Amino acid sequence: MRGSSAEEVADRILCQPSLSGLQGPTVSPVFRKRDGKFASDYFAIVICVPKKALYKSVQQLRAVGGSGVLVSPSTYIFDEETLRWHELLRKLGL
């Protein structure tokens, strides 16, 4: 996605309801050489969205200037500490 800064791109992403991901987007500069100098007016965005929200999320990405969407399935997602883990520990008395 084109942008003037990572913050500006993140702001555009976070204005869309289904693009916040699990904890927010990862926005990274994409470096390329132009006229012998580095330019970073493109940014790569990584977000994790539920499969059922995929099409809507792609539409929202395009609406804020995103292109070249790459989709990779996430087989497992390990949060910091899950509710199920806390419940198991409680039931075990630990």
Side-chain angles (χ1 to χ4, degrees):
M1 174 182 286
R2 285 186 186 262
S4 58
S5 69
E7 291 80 8
E8 183 259 331
V9 170
D11 185 53
R12 281 193 279 154
I13 294 292
L14 291 171
C15 286
Q16 298 295 321
S18 71
L19 300 182
S20 61
L22 295 174
Q23 295 179 347
T26 300
V27 181
S28 305
V30 176
F31 293 97
R32 56 196 177 108
K33 271 195 168 178
R34 187 172 41 196
D35 299 327
K37 295 182 180 182
F38 285 107
S40 61
D41 54 349
Y42 275 93
F43 293 85
I45 294 95
V46 178
I47 58 172
C48 184
V49 299
K51 190 175 186 177
K52 62 184 177 185
L54 183 59
Y55 182 68
K56 182 177 183 180
S57 298
V58 170
Q59 288 178 311
Q60 289 180 354
L61 275 170
R62 288 183 175 150
V64 295
S67 64
V69 178
L70 173 68
V71 176
S72 298
S74 296
T75 306
Y76 299 103
I77 298 174
F78 296 96
D79 256 338
E80 292 177 37
E81 291 189 12
T82 65
L83 293 175
R84 284 184 179 175
W85 175 250
H86 285 290
E87 183 63 20
L88 175 63
L89 291 177
R90 187 186 66 74
K91 285 183 178 179
L92 294 174
L94 300 176

